[in-house]
Amino acid sequence: MTAQVEAAGHVLPVSATQDAIVVARREAADGIAHLTLRPAVGGSFPAWEAGAHIDLHVPGHTRQYSICSSPTDRSSLEIAVLHDPDSRGGSAWVHAELTVGTRVVVGGPRNNFALAPSRKYLFIAGGIGITPMLAMIEAAEHAGKEWRLAYGGRSLRTMAFARELLDTYGPERILLYPAEETGRLDLETLLGVPRALMLVYACGPQRLLDAIEEYCLGWPAGALHLERFAAASDGQGTSGPFDVELSRTGRTVHVAADRTILDAVEEAGVRVLSSCRQGVCGTCEIPVLAGEIDHRDAILTPEDKARSASMMVCVSRAAAGCSRLTLDL
């Protein structure tokens, strides 16, 4: 995982939010709602850059959705949401309730998937993973960089923005792989030979990203940038209990085997900025002063994880053999 990380705060109030209104809605593809939001009281949204997402506060949940509109127009922002049949409430609510005129609470924007400077870019999208790529393509095009997009999906009917992208940029730069017609993304052709001065940005289902990581093992360090829909579930460290020292007060908080660090410190009365609670948004990043970490998030780069200067306290834990962590809390 080599996506860029935005530093989060330490002990802070809940994330700044604002009310927004749905001003337009259309079906971008089968099962994908494309929504345009404007601030409810006028004005503009906070600035963002390509790759950013917002927090959408739905009943009982907070969900993260990539912004798929241009950062140059802050009077509105757009998101596209797939109706996931296995939804735990987020996408189902969006598709059922977010109609034109609906008021909704949003947080952010934040960016864990920033576009780093490069001469060349290869963008790879699987399904709804196309959403962060739209602003990235705009930024690369505006900067005069060399780029291509490889975009895979089940069929053209399910691939949001595919026809618009093809019409705008042409088949030389927009490579479409509707599986029912052409087969799956040809990763061997795309990634089999490392390319100098090129960065790879990929977003999509876990299986696709795992395959991309395998193909990019021989690429230069830092060439691959991923944004995952879910954090790793196969941590190599202990799932047992451990203690966390809060350096600012000297307090020690016990973290039981069935609790997260975030759960434990909140129950102890410490407020930590958090959002997804799944290790995918980067909000709860906390500096680590001592101890070994079992990183289970989908945000930090391998280099960041090796340094272990910070951790996402919603999912990561003490590593095997480490009974105590000291955090800047």
Side-chain angles (χ1 to χ4, degrees), residues 51 73 150 159 231 283 297 315:
D73 180 7
M159 295 170 65
T283 308
D297 66 273
V315 291

Side-chain angles (χ1 to χ4, degrees), residues 109-197:
R110 290 194 307 277
N111 201 341
N112 304 316
F113 195 41
L115 190 65
S118 181
R119 293 188 185 181
K120 305 175 186 178
Y121 297 98
L122 174 60
F123 302 112
I124 304 177
I128 197 62
I130 188 62
T131 50
M133 303 301 175
L134 300 181
M136 290 184 173
I137 288 170
E138 178 187 276
E141 178 74 2
H142 180 74
K145 305 298 185 180
E146 180 181 328
W147 64 268
R148 287 194 306 164
L149 167 72
Y151 178 15
R154 189 171 70 252
S155 69
L156 283 175
R157 297 187 310 277
T158 66
M159 295 170 65
F161 311 110
R163 296 190 186 279
E164 297 96 317
L165 286 164
L166 192 62
D167 290 344
T168 301
Y169 299 110
E172 296 79 15
R173 290 193 289 178
I174 304 298
L175 311 177
L176 300 181
Y177 294 85
E180 291 180 357
E181 301 173 25
T182 65
R184 298 185 182 276
L185 282 157
D186 185 358
L187 297 182
E188 175 63 36
T189 299
L190 293 168
L191 301 170
V193 177
R195 291 168 172 80
L197 307 176

Side-chain angles (χ1 to χ4, degrees), residues 76-94:
S76 66
L77 58 79
E78 300 171 22
I79 59 174
V81 181
L82 172 68
H83 191 182
D84 183 355
D86 298 321
S87 169
R88 292 171 298 142
S91 73
W93 184 85
V94 168

Side-chain angles (χ1 to χ4, degrees), residues 240-279:
F242 57 94
D243 292 327
V244 171
E245 179 184 347
L246 311 182
S247 67
R248 299 187 186 187
T249 63
R251 294 177 61 190
T252 295
V253 175
H254 183 70
V255 182
D258 62 347
R259 308 297 286 165
T260 67
I261 296 174
L262 181 58
D263 290 336
V265 297
E266 285 182 336
E267 289 166 3
V270 178
R271 301 186 71 191
V272 177
L273 189 68
S274 66
S275 180
C276 74
R277 307 181 84 96
Q278 299 176 69

